[in-house]
């Protein structure tokens, strides 16, 4: 079975720059361009609607620049980012923003190909198969709470959101920051109870009350407490199976 292509969005106010990216991507059939945007405001809407997994992003654009676009988004919703810009002085800031790579215009194909190797490596890490199931799934998680250690039963967890190398655990109306990447924590949780519905979101299936289809194939999950969470296209099939949806 072939591997699905990585879905990419091109964001640059220069038509010729977007054309150059298209040409550079022509030799990378595992990257599928799902849209183009001429400014950051359009890109913000396109990211929400199209859910790209990779963003080629210019920095200086009319209105909102590329950094402000990223700053205004939740980290769990961010695609992988490769900056493509004519200015070299923003490289350090770009990597502070967790960019995969930083390309200078005009695009050099060999350098571009190196960036795609980094994208693939990062993508494989994000989608790494879970480690073999432990003999017993995690029953409790200890998290710091001021000067105390709070013990949370995994059965009490409502949902979890990735936050860089941390996760934000939501349980019983409160949230707790726990220092562990989402992928690592997910591997220790009972897969019959916890469902990944987005690259950065895991939910306790017992807390799911409704699933709402939205426009353009999007959907959201509504929990019993009213919390609304994005159900990514990528995880829709597994959600349908877990929730017994036809």
């Amino acid at each position: 079975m072939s591997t699905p292509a990585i879905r990419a969005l091109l964001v640059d106010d220069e038509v010729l720059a977007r054309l150059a990216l298209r040409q550079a991507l022509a030799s990378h059939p595992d990257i599928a361009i799902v849209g183009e945007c001429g400014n950051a405001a359009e890109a913000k809407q396109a990211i929400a609607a199209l859910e790209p997994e990779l963003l080629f992003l210019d920095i200086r654009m009319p209105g909102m620049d590329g950094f402000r676009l990223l700053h205004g988004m939740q980290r769990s919703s961010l695609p992988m980012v490769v900056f493509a810009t004519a200015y070299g002085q923003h490289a350090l800031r770009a990597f502070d923003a967790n960019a995969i790579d930083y390309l200078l215009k005009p695009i050099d194909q060999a350098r571009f190909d190196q960036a795609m190797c980094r994208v693939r490596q990062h993508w494989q890490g994000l989608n790494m198969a879970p480690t073999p199931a432990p003999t017993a799934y995690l029953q409790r998680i200890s998290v710091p709470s001021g000067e105390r250690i709070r013990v949370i039963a995994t059965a009490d967890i409502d949902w979890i959101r990735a936050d860089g190398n941390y996760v934000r655990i939501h349980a019983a109306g409160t949230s707790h920051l726990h220092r562990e990447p989402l992928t690592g924590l997910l591997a220790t949780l009972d897969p019959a109870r916890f469902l990944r519905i987005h690259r950065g979101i895991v939910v306790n299936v017992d807390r799911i009350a409704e699933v709402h289809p939205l426009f353009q194939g999007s959907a959201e999950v509504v929990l019993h407490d009213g919390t609304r969470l994005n159900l990514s296209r990528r995880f829709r099939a597994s959600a349908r199976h877990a929730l017994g949806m036809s």
Side-chain angles (χ1 to χ4, degrees):
M1 184 171 64
S2 60
T3 303
I6 300 173
R7 306 171 71 256
L9 181 70
L10 314 184
V11 184
D12 198 306
D13 61 312
E14 298 177 6
V15 175
L16 292 179
R18 300 201 300 269
L19 176 60
L21 286 171
R22 280 186 171 275
Q23 292 173 337
L25 282 167
S27 58
H28 297 273
D30 58 333
I31 310 291
I33 300 172
V34 297
E36 294 186 15
C37 299
N39 58 60
E42 290 179 3
K44 189 173 183 178
Q45 295 180 355
I47 291 169
L50 300 174
E51 298 179 12
E53 293 146 344
L54 173 61
L55 196 62
F56 289 95
L57 182 60
D58 191 12
I59 293 179
R60 293 190 181 180
M61 293 179 286
M64 187 191 316
D65 67 20
F67 289 119
R68 284 186 59 198
L69 169 66
L70 300 183
H71 184 70
M73 297 180 60
Q74 290 186 338
R75 295 183 65 174
S76 61
S77 300
L78 284 177
M80 297 179 289
V81 176
V82 172
F83 280 104
T85 176
Y87 305 94
Q89 64 268 36
H90 303 296
L92 291 178
R93 189 180 176 193
F95 288 108
D96 285 343
N98 292 323
I100 303 296
D101 212 332
Y102 189 92
L103 299 174
L104 289 176
K105 303 174 187 173
I107 298 295
D108 175 79
Q109 186 67 49
R111 179 66 183 84
F112 185 88
D113 294 345
Q114 290 179 358
M116 291 304 95
C117 287
R118 293 181 180 178
V119 166
R120 291 188 189 94
Q121 290 172 355
H122 192 80
W123 183 243
Q124 289 170 0
L126 290 174
N127 294 278
M128 185 171 54
T131 55
T135 54
Y137 294 109
L138 193 65
Q139 299 298 312
R140 297 171 187 80
I141 299 175
S142 296
V143 298
S145 178
E147 297 181 352
R148 299 172 297 170
I149 300 295
R150 178 76 177 271
V151 180
I152 303 171
T154 53
D156 293 337
I157 294 174
D158 299 321
W159 63 287
I160 306 167
R161 183 189 295 278
D163 189 358
N165 290 324
Y166 291 74
V167 291
R168 175 70 64 177
I169 298 173
H170 297 261
T174 60
S175 69
H176 311 271
L177 194 62
H178 176 56
R179 186 174 183 175
E180 184 173 9
L182 182 63
T183 301
L185 177 59
L186 182 59
T188 66
L189 297 175
D190 185 352
R193 169 169 284 167
F194 289 94
L195 173 67
R196 195 170 196 170
I197 62 171
H198 186 279
R199 186 156 56 93
I201 299 175
V202 168
V203 65
N204 185 336
V205 293
D206 291 337
R207 302 299 194 274
I208 297 176
E210 299 174 354
V211 177
H212 293 183
L214 302 175
F215 295 109
Q216 298 179 322
S218 298
E220 68 176 4
V221 164
V222 182
L223 307 190
H224 287 289
D225 66 359
T227 300
R228 294 175 178 269
L229 303 171
N230 182 34
L231 172 56
S232 169
R233 287 185 180 89
R234 184 173 183 83
F235 298 99
R236 199 148 312 156
S238 57
R240 279 199 296 267
H241 177 74
L243 300 175
M245 299 165 59
S246 58

